[in-house]
Every structure is written in structure tokens, then in C-alpha cells.
Amino acid sequence: MARPADPHAHEALRSAARREFVKSGIQKARIEDITHACGLSKGAFYLHFDSKEGLFRELVSEVEAELEELRTVRERHTQDFLARHGSVKPKDLKPGSAFVRALRSLHTREDQKLLELLWRWRDVVDVLLSGSQGTAFDGVMWRIIDREVVRVQEECEALKAVKLMRDDIPGEAVGLLLVGTYLLVARRLSSLEEKPDFDVWLTALQKLLAEGTAPRPHTRATRSSPFAASPRRAPPRAARGSRRSHP
Amino acid sequence: MARPADPHAHEALRSAARREFVKSGIQKARIEDITHACGLSKGAFYLHFDSKEGLFRELVSEVEAELEELRTVRERHTQDFLARHGSVKPKDLKPGSAFVRALRSLHTREDQKLLELLWRWRDVVDVLLSGSQGTAFDGVMWRIIDREVVRVQEECEALKAVKLMRDDIPGEAVGLLLVGTYLLVARRLSSLEEKPDFDVWLTALQKLLAEGTAPRPHTRATRSSPFAASPRRAPPRAARGSRRSHP
DNA sequence: GGATTTTCTGACCCGCGGTTCAGAAACGAG
DNA sequence: CTCGTTTCTGAACCGCGGGTCAGAAAATCC
């Protein structure tokens, strides 16, 4: 055999690309800038990746896999917790009960893991959020977000069912609120150099939400959500327009 | 003189462009698709606008002007309200006092106007949010969002100062929460055909926030925010990279 | 030192779409 | 109808950058 490939090249290209994507978005990021950043030439790029989007796809797949993993683990931990505890007893409904505190701490731990993930992938998340327009990744982040909103919503409905949450606030409202907050936080992460202290943040959010959503003595039923079953806009596609639509 | 221009052309192009921008983002929107949609030819576009981005700039300026107007009006209404009421008396601090209810209703009215604005401009907002990458408008929406977060934060600090809000939750947290929620809502608006009932939504959010942020008997001081004074990432710009960074 | 094989280079190709512009078309005035 | 003027058309121009490929360079084996 002859001339082994530079062992650092692949990884160097990957991380240079991440930097370049953050700076310019997927479309505007130029292959030459990526390769020059690691002292390689344009052509070398194609020895390691099939295309610019192919490289980004690698990154996105990893993020999606980790997110999926997190979702299933969260689901399992919640199931385990409930199974271990048995049925919900009246004393568990009291605001400060051991049960409520344990459940809340479970949520905090899982949310913390989510924030850690967002921190590790903050660059890619940032690109997905605002630098993927016109590519195959357009909308990936919003799909993830919609799913998370639904997850929170379902958790809320479950809590309402066992009277651990007031039922005059739509679960969807809490979902939009929680996920919307995380969205802004995720966005801010991309401009930080050092990892912030998530605890401060989580406790504040936790407090606010816990006390805002706590069961009330007198509550009316939830009115139906104004955003139910919204049809998402069609994915970008070439449009053959009809002529003369305004005469 | 001779051959007057089609009086509908300008407006027709404008709205066709809005549709096209929503469908494909600013970059991918093709001039030909815009002109064909109103039965005009490519060249005609340049009789009405100096460039594709020029057209979008017009739209963005209008949105920004309306948002600015809303901010100043909100500021003035708040000032007027406080001036008219005089100093805050002890009885005003009680959760259900006339003062608190009036203040809350003021907030609701202003928020409602914001939602109406987001509804009217939902297409442009949507494009700014996820279809402006790589253009001069990249980041416009995030700057607006950051400003709104600061506004909410300041309102919170003001409320804390007169003991109308608990002080163990950072104002910034409430800002991210409120604005993040509106962000997701704004995004959803773009996929709706009919205006939803904002009231349902506002009351749920209002309740949750009001009761979550109400003053507590025993509170510790706010810990400093982990996101303070974050340097935003540099605007997109051509990058001349140094070579050989990974020898 | 070849001989051979794989890596790496960078000039080139090519499609795309914003923008331009020479000329055609439409309209009013006389 | 003809002329002058302005609108409108669409082929042509052009820069850009992703992707290709013939050949140069580098490494290994003999």
C-alpha cells in the first residue's frame, strides 16, 4: 500500500465545517473556506464526504439520535418511577409531599440532560434553527420542537388525570411555554464561550411552573386549544405558478 | 404622455413576493416565479423594485416600524397608568386588588395588540425567523426578540421594586419564558388559515404567570443570571481563513 | 533507486438565477 | 395615422460556488 491518508483530516474537516456553518449557514458556507481552514484543498473534501450537505447530514443524524435516546430514557424513567411508587394516594397530592418532590426532581434531572445535549450541540442546533433555509434540513428543528411540545402536553394531561395539575390551563399552553423557553435558551447558548450554570435556570423555571400550574380549589374546564391540529406549511418545492392572477 | 403603468402591478408583485418568500425563503424565491404569478415578465419586476432584497426590505421596515410604535405606546400607557394611580399603597399589593387587576388587564391588552400584529405579518415574521439566512435580514428577528426579552425583564424588575413580584426568580427568566412562548405561537400562526382566538391563550398564560410570579412570604435574593451580557455572534461576513491550522 | 498505489491539488466545467438592455408593444396627443 | 414616450418582454450576460478529474505529490514496498 501507499500514502496513508492524514488521520486528522476527517475530524479536522468536520469541525472546520461546523465553525463555517455557524458563521455562514449551510448554503453560504463555502467548501473552499472549510478546506483552507485545515490546510487542505477543495478536492480533498470529496475524499471524506460525498457533499456539503452530506457532512451536515452526519451531524444532524447524531443530534437526532441523541435526542431520540433522551426521549426514550425519559419515558422509561418516568414509567419506572410510577411503577415503583404504585398508585397515587391522597397524601401524595399535597404540594410538598415526598411524591411530588421526587417527581419534580425527576423532571429536573431529565431537563438538565436536555440542556447538556443542547450545549454540546449548540452550533448545530443554531444552524438548524436559522441557517438551514433552502436545504434538506429546513424545518428539522421545528419538527423536533413540535414533537417536544406534544410530549410536554401529554405529560400535562397525565398530571391532570391524577389531579397533580390544575385543569383550567391547556397542556399545549404549558408545552409552548416550556419548549419556547428552551428554544430561546438554546439559541443563547450558541453565543456563549463557557457552559452556564443550568441549575440556576432550571430551579427558577421549575418554581414558576410548579406554582403556576399547581392544582386550584375551584377550576373550570379547559377550553379547547386554538392551535389544535394545525396543518404545517408544505415543504419547499419548485412552484409552477398559474399566470394572470391579478388582472 | 403615454402608456400608464398597470396600477395593480406594484401591489400584485408585493403580495406574490410575500407568498413566494414564505414558500421558499428569500434566497430561493425566484423573481420569475413572483412575476409569473401576476402575469408579468422577469424584467417588469425591476420597474417596481430595485432588487429582490429591496422588496423584502420594504416589508421588514413596515413590520419594524409597527413594532416600534407598539413599544412606545406600551411604554406610554404604562406610564400614564402609574401616574394616574399615584403611589402604590399597601392594599394594592393584595393579589386580587383593583390595582393589580387593572395592571394585569393593561398587560393583556398590550399583549393582544402584539399578537394581532404578529398575525397580520405572520408571513414576513415566518420568513424572518427561518427563511432569511445568508441575507441582510439574517438575525433581524433575533435582535427583536432579544430586545423584547430585555423589555419584559425590565418590567419585572420594576414590579419587584414595588413588591408586586417575588424576587427569587430572575426577570430574565420571565423574559425568556414569555418571549419564547410568543415565538412558538408566532411560528404557528404562519400555518393557520384563520385567526385563532387569542383570548383563550392570553388568559391561560396570564394565569400561569401571575400565580407563578406572585410575591411569596419568604424569598431569597435572586441569583445572578447565567446569560448576562452575552456577546452575540458576529454577523455573517466573508471569512478569509488562515491555513494549516491542524498540522 | 524505481515501481506502484493512494492521496491530494486546483483549474475547469456547469447550472443556476439575479440583473440588464435592446427592442417590441401599448398608449396618448396632435 | 404617426410620433413620442413610457411600459414591458425575454434572451443574454455574468458571477458564483458545488462538484469533477487529469495529473502532481507522497508514501510504501521491493
Side-chain angles (χ1 to χ4, degrees), chain B residues 138-208:
Chain B
D138 190 16
V140 165
M141 202 61 208
W142 297 105
R143 268 194 296 283
I144 293 174
I145 286 168
D146 286 345
R147 257 186 97 191
E148 287 295 298
V149 171
V150 171
R151 177 181 62 71
V152 175
Q153 185 175 357
E154 285 168 355
E155 285 178 8
C156 284
E157 302 311 336
L159 287 177
K160 284 182 189 175
V162 295
K163 302 273 183 251
L164 275 167
M165 177 181 159
R166 64 198 294 185
D167 62 1
D168 62 335
I169 288 186
E172 191 192 25
V174 181
L176 287 174
L177 189 139
L178 203 56
V179 179
T181 308
Y182 277 31
L183 173 58
L184 284 202
V185 170
R187 170 96 197 151
R188 286 195 177 201
L189 291 184
S190 71
S191 62
L192 296 181
E193 292 298 323
E194 283 182 42
K195 191 173 79 165
D197 183 356
F198 294 137
D199 274 352
V200 183
W201 234 83
L202 277 170
T203 40
L205 192 57
Q206 187 69 225
K207 266 189 229 170
L208 208 155

Side-chain angles (χ1 to χ4, degrees), chain A residues 129-178:
Chain A
L129 266 178
S130 56
S132 62
Q133 208 295 316
T135 69
F137 311 100
D138 189 17
V140 166
M141 203 60 208
W142 297 105
R143 268 194 295 282
I144 293 173
I145 286 169
D146 285 346
R147 255 186 99 190
E148 287 294 299
V149 172
V150 171
R151 177 181 62 72
V152 175
Q153 186 174 355
E154 284 168 356
E155 284 179 8
C156 284
E157 304 310 336
L159 287 177
K160 285 182 189 174
V162 295
K163 303 273 183 252
L164 274 167
M165 178 181 158
R166 64 197 293 184
D167 61 2
D168 63 335
I169 288 185
E172 191 192 25
V174 181
L176 288 173
L177 189 140
L178 203 55

Side-chain angles (χ1 to χ4, degrees), chain A residues 6 8-9 12 19-28 30 33 36-40 126-127 129-135 138-139 142 145-146 149 166 168-170 172-181 183-185 187-192 196-201 203-205 207-209 211-213 216 220 223-228 230-247, chain B residues 6 8-9 12 19-28 30 33 36-40 126-127 129-135 138-139 142 145-146 149 166 168-170 172-181 183-185 187-192 196-201 203-205 207-209 211-213 216 220 223-228 230-247:
Chain A
D6 179 344
H8 305 303
R19 280 192 298 276
E20 215 56 44
F21 284 143
V22 169
K23 193 185 321 184
S24 324
I26 299 172
Q27 297 217 62
K28 285 259 178 130
R30 307 193 315 124
D33 289 341
H36 281 191
C38 7
L40 291 170
D126 198 51
V127 174
L129 266 178
S130 56
S132 62
Q133 208 295 316
T135 69
D138 189 17
W142 297 105
I145 286 169
D146 285 346
V149 172
R166 64 197 293 184
D168 63 335
I169 288 185
E172 191 192 25
V174 181
L176 288 173
L177 189 140
L178 203 55
V179 179
T181 308
L183 174 58
L184 283 201
V185 169
R187 170 94 198 155
R188 285 195 177 203
L189 291 184
S190 72
S191 62
L192 297 180
D197 183 355
F198 294 136
D199 274 352
V200 183
W201 234 84
T203 39
L205 193 56
K207 266 189 229 171
L208 209 154
L209 224 52
E211 297 174 28
T213 59
R216 306 285 137 172
R220 270 157 283 143
R223 277 210 266 161
S224 69
S225 151
F227 298 112
S230 53
R232 309 258 63 207
R233 81 172 186 215
R237 192 180 312 284
R240 273 321 90 210
S242 53
R243 304 180 50 114
R244 283 276 157 215
S245 66
H246 87 93
Chain B
D6 179 344
H8 305 303
R19 281 191 298 275
E20 215 55 45
F21 285 143
V22 169
K23 192 185 321 184
S24 325
I26 299 172
Q27 297 216 64
K28 285 260 178 130
R30 306 193 317 125
D33 289 341
H36 280 191
C38 9
L40 291 171
D126 197 51
V127 174
L129 266 177
S130 57
S132 63
Q133 208 295 316
T135 70
D138 190 16
W142 297 105
I145 286 168
D146 286 345
V149 171
R166 64 198 294 185
D168 62 335
I169 288 186
E172 191 192 25
V174 181
L176 287 174
L177 189 139
L178 203 56
V179 179
T181 308
L183 173 58
L184 284 202
V185 170
R187 170 96 197 151
R188 286 195 177 201
L189 291 184
S190 71
S191 62
L192 296 181
D197 183 356
F198 294 137
D199 274 352
V200 183
W201 234 83
T203 40
L205 192 57
K207 266 189 229 170
L208 208 155
L209 224 52
E211 297 173 28
T213 59
R216 307 286 135 170
R220 269 157 284 141
R223 279 211 265 160
S224 69
S225 151
F227 298 111
S230 54
R232 308 259 62 205
R233 79 170 188 215
R237 194 179 310 283
R240 274 322 91 212
S242 53
R243 304 181 50 116
R244 285 277 156 213
S245 68
H246 88 98

Side-chain angles (χ1 to χ4, degrees), chain B residues 30-119:
Chain B
R30 306 193 317 125
I31 305 263
E32 284 204 74
D33 289 341
I34 296 172
T35 50
H36 280 191
C38 9
L40 291 171
S41 72
K42 211 173 169 181
F45 183 89
Y46 293 91
L47 296 172
H48 299 276
F49 305 95
D50 58 340
S51 69
K52 191 168 63 162
E53 295 211 351
L55 193 167
F56 195 72
R57 191 177 353 268
E58 265 191 35
L59 300 172
V60 172
S61 300
E62 288 178 46
V63 181
E64 287 191 310
E66 285 194 32
L67 271 170
E68 192 53 37
E69 168 73 6
L70 218 59
R71 285 176 68 94
T72 59
V73 166
R74 184 180 201 128
E75 174 78 18
R76 195 173 64 240
H77 284 181
T78 309
Q79 299 291 352
D80 287 358
F81 173 81
L82 292 178
R84 200 165 346 102
H85 184 271
S87 63
V88 180
K89 302 163 196 70
K91 76 175 168 74
D92 295 333
L93 295 181
K94 282 193 300 180
S97 74
F99 176 72
V100 166
R101 277 188 294 123
L103 186 59
R104 197 157 292 161
S105 125
L106 176 70
H107 285 160
T108 308
R109 275 199 308 280
E110 296 299 331
D111 280 1
Q112 196 148 21
K113 285 197 286 184
L114 178 57
L115 285 175
E116 296 285 349
L117 189 154
L118 290 175
W119 172 252

